[in-house]
Amino acid sequence: MEKVKTFIEEKSLIETGDHIIVGVSGGADSVYLLRVLCSLQKEKDLSITAVHINHQIREEAVRDQWFVQDLCKKLGISCEVFCVDVKGLAQKEKLSIEEAGRKARYDIFYKKQKELQGKIAVAHHKNDQAETFLFRVSRGTGIDGAGAMKAADFPVIRPLLSMTKQEIKKELVQIGQTWVEDATNADDTYARNQIRNQVMPRLEKINEKTVEHICFLTEDIQEAMGYLKENIKNAYEYVVIKKNRSFLLDIEKLEREHSWIQKQVIKRAMEELAGKKKDLEKRHIFELLDLTKKETGKRISLPYGIIAEKSYQMILLYQEKNYDNSAISGELLQEETNDFGNIEEKDCIQIIDYDKIKKGIRLRCREPGDFFTFGPDAKKKSLSRYFIDEKIPRHQRDTIPLVADGSHIIWIIGRRISSYYKVSENTKRYLKLKFIKEGEKTNAKDQRVNFRGKSKCKNC
């Protein structure tokens, strides 16, 4: 057990006073892990809770449960048993039996971890690591996935990644500790068992140290990824802007990065938006990269209802179910004033010529036929043309609040006012307009108004 104890210290997996939730199936690996933890209990002042999950698949499941309960009783370890209908869960969640079993186990482990504020110890060893590598590579994975399992993936720890299956069984025999065999390990209908029972033996005929060599490779990959992830993080923060439930990717900044980093930034943005990694494939990354070369307005559909849209030098990523690009909300405060000299015009405050209002003031979003005037000659310009000329992204155009007098836009809030309404030496009455975003506070003076309106436009 000294090899495992040294590995635990090297990887800083367990600290003094930790509460360890250990999964114990009754097989050799988990039994050995339990014995290792028990040998450290006094030295490390550990609290240990064994968790056994009865998957209710095999007839021997009850035998395994009793074995684990009896072993824990002999070792003086608290044991909690959970019975889960894994076949039923697989049907309900549309998962394979393997996937459903894993989900059931980890759901329980994480629930106990949250309750006990401890670490989850699982009994994966070097053979499992080699099988995981081959399994992921055969199904398709990136560099990070090829690193397989980490010894420290807190709150999950894997203290046995320093041991082979043969070493574990040898030491159990030496200390006279029995275990139970899971008959399903010989069932090659499970993909992992095919790798374990067919692929690995063939590879070991080529080189008996196959497991060791694959494990060395996964360690190298993990070490390299530790360095690369820092680069990915920096690039992601440089390229991606998070806005509410959407992401904006700056194409110019993205293209400054190495091609591999570009793909990783896109991958991370999709994963964060989707909230999961499954079904997000390499082809989706290439589709999004291709979109960066397209013209403004082009869009593609990705898994989980994600839409990617090209908007000038940006890519907008959003989920249709969560994205509302049409609502504006705020108050327009209006106050006639003669004290023009003491009012400072800002993005949210403008002073206009009151007498030029013809149809009345309305706060709204854009509508067909909107226009404003510019320059000393008050030339007309359509609002849609202005948005295009200013390269305002299409997804933002419906969110810009407007102050309108009929179709004549008095004020594009936060940007400019129509020259027609600007005050001049001939202005007799001044009107102060102030836009208050929803949730912002107003002072006492702003409350003395004779007009207040709200707009939440959904279909313009």
Side-chain angles (χ1 to χ4, degrees), residues 415-432:
R415 295 180 181 272
R416 64 177 303 164
I417 66 170
S418 176
S419 62
Y420 174 77
Y421 296 97
K422 285 186 176 181
V423 297
S424 69
E425 59 185 15
N426 297 319
T427 300
K428 296 178 181 178
R429 293 195 301 162
Y430 302 100
L431 183 66
K432 172 189 172 185

Side-chain angles (χ1 to χ4, degrees), residues 255-282:
E255 289 176 342
R256 290 175 190 162
E257 301 293 339
H258 186 278
S259 60
W260 187 81
I261 295 291
Q262 290 179 24
K263 294 167 193 170
Q264 300 309 307
V265 167
I266 289 171
K267 178 174 178 285
R268 178 173 166 181
M270 290 194 300
E271 289 173 354
E272 285 199 16
L273 193 57
K276 56 188 78 176
K277 298 181 180 181
K278 190 178 179 183
D279 298 325
L280 293 170
E281 302 173 4
K282 202 163 189 175

